[in-house]
Amino acid sequence: MPDSLERELDASVCPSAANATHGAIQPHGCLIGFDSDWRRVCLASTNLPRFFGLASTEALGCPLERVVGGGATVALERALALGSPGISLPARPASGALQRLHLSLHATGRLIILAAEPLEGTAHDLPGLGYAWGTRLAQADSTGELDARLQQALHALTGFEFCTLSQPKRAGPATEHLPGELSHSDYPPLWLVDSRAVPVELLATPGINADLSDCPLHLPAPMLHRWLADRQARAALMLDLQAARPERRYAVCWDRRPRSLAPPLRHLLLQLVQTAALRRTLLDETQQTQQRYRLLSERNSRLQRLAYTDPLTQLANRHRIERVLETELALASRTDAPLAVLLFDIDHFKPINDTHGHETGDRVLSQVARQAQSHLRDSDHLGRWGGEEFIVVIPCCELSRARELAWRMCRALAQRRIDPVGQVTASFGVATSQPGDSCRTLVRRADQAMYLAKQAGRACVRTQEAG
């Protein structure tokens, strides 16, 4: 690297060139910065002769075509307009040996940054490899499978010894972590690092302030040097998996030997990573949609239960049991099958509330409901008709059987004590469906029978025949 005296001598030979330094880059390529009018080179790395046979001090202030040639300049302008990742061209450096270079560029502020790297070791069928691995990534059914396939692709295409999907330190104890500063710094989405290479200095004309954050020759941060040293790694390939998220996530390949990857292969790797990122987003959104659907379904079921269930006794409420009765009565009418209705009311319930309080009254209602439910079949329907009154809808049940069931329920309830009230009884009315019945007429007959049970002294059963 030239010292300050050498730069001053170069500048005296070429007065249009300045000797101000502007940082440094990795040495596996060279860098040229020029104005957006393509008229003047404003920034050049000191290894420019190795790639183009022209000293950096001579290049500063000159048109770009003098450095790379007129044909290459036209091709670069077209590539930038088309959004192409770069072009390849033959170049003859100062050594005189012809080599092929890959030129990539991007616009940043008032400057356009051009990075030149040698084309070496490029696979023969990159499009075919990209299609094959891209298809495998796009067909992954889970994020775990996607990560495994991405690691396989990186291993196969780079040949690096190690490959992992890393996360910043806050991600959790079970993952491979990178230095925390990488999650908040501006670095290229794909980055090839040689941790022991000597940086190449940049020279610039006065007033130049170039943003090199997207440059593939960007120098690694000191913390990344230490991270690689801990793993005895010389070369590393960093691919940003999710730059848009709060915590950046990287695919990291590293090797104990110096390694190089030609730009076309790096572009293919970046495309695969982007394919994986899109697939991950789709999988995450699908999972979130499924979770939202399950949550919505659970909430709808809960709302339905609330709409149809009495909150105190957890029985069907009046609205629900009326719908059940309509359905069962219509079915009984079509099949000419009997349908029984039991209507029962807790005796002397108001004194229970007045003496022991409404909380005790609520407990009595709940226990009576459980006691009644224990005598019923799965096909029978028990509901709270209102207040201390309950109704049982019993399909395929004749009057005699319904009366027997009502007496069993009546006696079982009277034999059980409910603290602190003691004995609690109920009066039962029983009715069965008749031709031309509606829900109202059927329930009215059961209600009349229950009234007869009250008149008979309570804690007993009466049927519609008794009326």
Side-chain angles (χ1 to χ4, degrees):
M1 184 180 297
D3 57 22
S4 59
L5 177 59
E6 184 176 348
R7 290 197 301 274
E8 290 175 4
L9 291 174
D10 287 341
S12 66
V13 175
C14 183
S16 62
N19 58 4
T21 59
H22 188 80
I25 59 171
Q26 296 191 74
H28 59 267
C30 74
L31 184 141
I32 302 170
F34 50 94
D35 58 32
S36 56
D37 295 331
W38 297 69
R39 295 178 180 174
R40 188 169 63 95
V41 172
C42 310
L43 183 71
S45 58
T46 54
N47 62 348
L48 194 65
R50 173 186 160 197
F51 295 89
F52 293 103
L54 184 68
S56 55
T57 51
E58 294 180 20
L60 291 175
C62 294
L64 180 65
E65 55 261 28
R66 181 178 173 189
V67 182
V68 302
T73 301
V74 172
L76 285 168
E77 287 186 276
R78 178 173 176 79
L80 184 62
L82 294 175
S84 170
I87 64 170
S88 62
L89 79 163
R92 192 176 299 277
S95 63
L98 187 66
Q99 63 176 339
R100 290 194 64 79
L101 298 178
H102 184 274
L103 307 184
S104 59
L105 43 76
H106 67 276
T108 167
R110 293 179 297 173
L111 283 184
I112 298 175
I113 303 298
L114 183 149
E117 301 175 69
L119 274 173
E120 298 174 355
T122 304
H124 296 293
D125 186 22
L126 289 182
L129 290 172
Y131 174 80
W133 282 110
T135 300
R136 295 179 198 176
L137 294 174
Q139 293 175 346
D141 292 327
S142 66
T143 54
E145 182 181 3
L146 179 65
D147 287 346
R149 291 186 181 185
L150 180 58
Q151 286 182 274
Q152 291 172 1
L154 294 175
H155 266 304
L157 295 174
T158 66
F160 275 66
E161 292 179 290
F162 305 99
C163 179
T164 186
L165 305 183
S166 303
Q167 296 182 3
K169 290 184 177 179
R170 288 186 292 277
T175 56
E176 180 76 31
H177 300 301
L178 288 174
E181 67 180 41
L182 286 178
S183 63
H184 304 291
S185 303
D186 292 327
Y187 292 109
L190 186 148
W191 196 15
L192 183 64
V193 173
D194 188 333
S195 63
R196 300 179 196 171
V198 179
V200 173
E201 192 175 35
L202 294 172
L203 300 182
T205 56
I208 293 301
N209 184 20
D211 178 11
L212 303 181
S213 59
D214 287 332
C215 178
L217 305 176
H218 197 293
L219 285 178
M223 290 183 67
L224 183 57
H225 271 291
R226 291 193 290 272
W227 187 88
L228 293 172
D230 290 342
R231 289 153 180 78
Q232 299 181 342
R234 169 72 184 266
L237 177 68
M238 323 280 294
L239 298 103
D240 195 344
L241 297 179
Q242 50 187 44
R245 301 193 181 189
E247 294 286 353
R248 298 181 79 170
R249 186 167 180 260
Y250 287 86
V252 185
C253 303
W254 73 90
D255 204 305
R256 288 168 290 188
R257 302 162 294 168
R259 299 294 305 273
S260 64
L261 295 175
L265 178 55
R266 298 206 308 265
H267 295 152
L268 171 61
L269 296 176
L270 187 58
Q271 289 175 1
L272 293 178
V273 165
Q274 291 169 347
T275 299
L278 291 173
R279 183 60 179 170
R280 175 177 289 274
T281 299
L282 179 60
L283 290 171
D284 288 344
E285 290 178 350
T286 300
Q287 183 179 23
Q288 291 171 7
T289 299
Q290 292 172 344
Q291 290 174 346
R292 286 194 294 267
Y293 178 80
R294 285 195 295 269
L295 180 60
L296 181 62
S297 179
E298 291 171 1
R299 288 179 176 176
N300 285 338
S301 299
R302 183 181 178 189
L303 288 173
Q304 190 174 34
R305 287 195 300 272
L306 290 174
Y308 291 150
T309 305
D310 173 59
L312 175 62
T313 63
Q314 298 303 304
L315 300 178
N317 61 16
R318 174 122 182 201
H319 174 74
R320 175 60 178 166
I321 201 68
E322 284 180 340
R323 303 286 81 77
V324 170
L325 180 56
E326 288 177 359
T327 302
E328 293 293 352
L329 186 57
L331 181 62
S333 177
R334 288 198 304 269
T335 60
D336 198 24
L339 176 68
V341 169
L342 275 61
L343 204 62
F344 65 94
D345 182 270
I346 298 176
D347 298 329
H348 304 296
F349 186 72
K350 186 176 184 300
I352 293 175
N353 274 336
D354 293 343
T355 303
H356 302 283
H358 288 280
E359 184 175 346
T360 298
D362 290 346
R363 187 161 62 251
V364 168
L365 288 170
S366 296
Q367 293 195 28
V368 168
R370 286 199 295 271
Q371 175 73 18
Q373 187 70 65
S374 67
H375 291 274
L376 302 179
R377 305 169 299 180
D378 292 340
S379 58
D380 301 335
H381 309 280
L382 174 63
R384 187 178 179 187
W385 195 245
E388 64 272 23
E389 197 170 7
F390 297 84
I391 188 171
V392 185
V393 179
I394 312 173
C396 301
C397 183
E398 297 176 349
L399 183 63
S400 58
R401 289 177 53 206
R403 183 173 56 245
E404 292 174 5
L405 172 62
W407 272 113
R408 285 198 302 273
M409 295 172 65
C410 181
R411 292 179 182 124
L413 180 60
Q415 293 170 1
R416 180 177 180 181
R417 297 183 60 84
I418 301 178
D419 294 332
V421 179
Q423 185 188 47
V424 175
T425 63
S427 301
F428 288 75
V430 182
T432 53
S433 60
Q434 297 175 356
D437 254 340
S438 66
C439 294
R440 180 176 297 181
T441 57
L442 177 57
V443 172
R444 184 187 301 126
R445 290 201 305 277
D447 186 62
Q448 291 169 350
M450 185 180 69
Y451 179 71
L452 292 174
K454 293 284 188 183
Q455 287 184 323
R458 297 181 173 85
C460 64
V461 177
R462 293 293 183 267
T463 68
Q464 60 189 24
E465 292 176 342

